[in-house]
Amino acid sequence: MPRLDAVRIAPGGPLVDVTIAAGEIRSIEPAGTDSPETARMLLPALVDLHTHLRDPGHTEAEDLVSGTAAAAAGGYSDVFAMANTSPPTDRVARVADLLRRAPHQTARIHPVSAVTIDLEGRRLVDVPALAAAGVRIFSDDGRCVSDPVFVRAMLEASRDLGVVFAQHAQDPATVGAGVINARVASRAGAAPWPPAGEERIIDRDLAIAADTGGHLHICHVSTARSVELIRQAKRSGIPITCEVTPHHLVLDDEEALRAGAALKVNPPLRSACDTMALRDALIDGTIDIVATDHAPHPAATKARGWADSAFGLTGLETALAVVAEVLRSPESGEVDWERLIEVLSLVPARIGGIGDQAGRPVRVGEPANLCLVETGMRAPIRIDGHRSRSRNSPFHGWAARERVVRTVIGGRVVRPS
């Protein structure tokens, strides 16, 4: 039987030994030692609602094997695979193919379906059939569902079927060929991606969600005004949830300007004021979860300048360290572990409809999906040791004070330290 010895389940709590058997937590007993070599926190395993696994179609960047290995290395037991593969996940047969291959991977995979056929915004997918096939989240992520007719239809289906519409908020008429935050675009010599391109879609879709009662989830929120629109919508009782990425919480457009297209991401990194608004909104609960938007690319596709480089950054293997830093008290230096567990595990599991198997508390009788974190260290992140097939991480050399040393999925230790 696997054991995790001399760990803490809560900050300041006693040291305990955790025994796992038959896929569940069998016992939690006082630790047999009072002097562990390192401080270690045992958390529920993480859940990512927004992962690009690139399989099928772009396996030079990532595939199911490397992507789920990266997930487990980052403490994730479950990832939701976005639909913008080639071909896209937009029909029952393609969902079935992903589900057929999923059990052979390291972490568990949950398919996200496209909203429109071929992600082209012209025809709605067969939402009832896809929901019956096991899809919980529908998204054209990478592209906005810009036609309000399809937004309404998707939110009505969401209401009737209990699924979630996850919108990539990017008004094509406003954004055009934009690639960098408008505030710094002229200095970069690149096309501007104005904040209004996000905010107008959110404002419009909130009104449709209020009218239909469907569950609207906003992907990768990036601006202070987007946060305020969502905050007011929640106060009004509109059924909305939203996410922020780790990189939008700690990086800004000045860093993008200095680094160049290596930090090209969609939506772009915004101003320092936007970044602070996102952090505050995560802490106060306006933003529900952190999702990685793990977007692997080969190095060559990130080295073509602002106009031609690929959008996206990897995130699965660095998310916990970054979020822990965001949720660290400047006074005490302590991480708000309760909030971290909420935004990286409990709430994403709930939104994704897998709360019966993931995002569960660490207690006897619960499924053994766990993430063991070493704390109180100070070591640079080294992406050359990452499990992802791609290396387009913005956090190489970043000083981390927490790291995942073990992940347990369904009682199996899949990432030994």
Side-chain angles (χ1 to χ4, degrees), residues 258-320:
R258 289 191 292 271
L263 289 183
K264 180 180 175 182
V265 64
N266 191 356
L269 300 174
R270 303 294 188 182
S271 73
C273 291
D274 289 309
T275 300
M276 290 309 302
L278 295 173
R279 293 172 75 129
D280 290 344
L282 183 70
I283 291 166
D284 72 22
T286 301
I287 293 176
D288 299 272
I289 66 169
V290 176
T292 70
D293 194 7
H294 177 79
H297 293 288
T301 68
K302 293 291 289 180
R304 298 171 179 167
W306 279 109
D308 299 319
S309 288
F311 286 104
L313 303 167
T314 59
L316 286 169
E317 295 175 76
T318 54
L320 185 140

Side-chain angles (χ1 to χ4, degrees), residues 196-263:
E198 173 175 304
E199 296 153 2
R200 287 171 183 166
I201 293 295
I202 291 176
D203 198 22
R204 180 202 70 181
D205 289 359
L206 287 172
I208 301 173
D211 191 43
T212 61
H215 184 160
L216 174 66
H217 179 82
I218 303 296
C219 296
H220 40 52
V221 172
S222 73
T223 81
R225 184 164 184 270
S226 293
V227 165
E228 194 52 40
L229 289 168
I230 292 164
R231 184 176 283 122
Q232 293 300 324
K234 288 189 169 188
R235 288 173 180 165
S236 300
I238 296 173
I240 178 175
T241 54
C242 66
E243 69 190 43
V244 66
T245 73
H247 46 270
H248 283 105
L249 288 169
V250 296
L251 303 174
D252 62 33
D253 55 8
E254 293 291 342
E255 288 163 296
L257 197 62
R258 289 191 292 271
L263 289 183

Side-chain angles (χ1 to χ4, degrees), residues 72-150:
Y76 288 88
S77 60
D78 295 81
V79 295
F80 283 73
M82 281 296 175
N84 60 339
T85 50
S86 183
T89 309
D90 61 359
R91 56 203 72 185
V92 169
R94 292 173 186 166
V95 168
D97 176 67
L98 183 57
L99 291 175
R100 176 184 58 80
R101 294 188 291 150
H104 305 288
Q105 311 309 322
T106 309
R108 296 183 294 232
I109 302 171
H110 307 274
V112 174
S113 170
V115 173
T116 64
I117 297 293
D118 291 327
L119 304 168
E120 290 182 346
R122 296 174 182 170
R123 293 175 293 154
L124 197 70
V125 299
D126 188 342
V127 180
L130 286 156
V135 174
R136 165 71 176 174
I137 298 177
F138 290 77
S139 182
D140 275 3
D141 183 68
R143 303 183 187 182
C144 180
V145 182
S146 56
D147 189 331
V149 172
F150 291 129

Side-chain angles (χ1 to χ4, degrees), residues 245-247 249-250 318-327 381 395 398 400:
T245 73
H247 46 270
L249 288 169
V250 296
T318 54
L320 185 140
V322 174
V323 175
E325 206 59 43
V326 170
L327 296 177
I381 291 171
F395 297 114
W398 202 73

Side-chain angles (χ1 to χ4, degrees), residues 51-55 62-64 67-68 79 81-82 109 294 316:
T51 305
H52 295 277
L53 292 178
R54 306 298 193 210
D55 187 347
E62 198 81 281
D63 60 18
L64 300 190
T68 58
V79 295
M82 281 296 175
I109 302 171
H294 177 79
L316 286 169

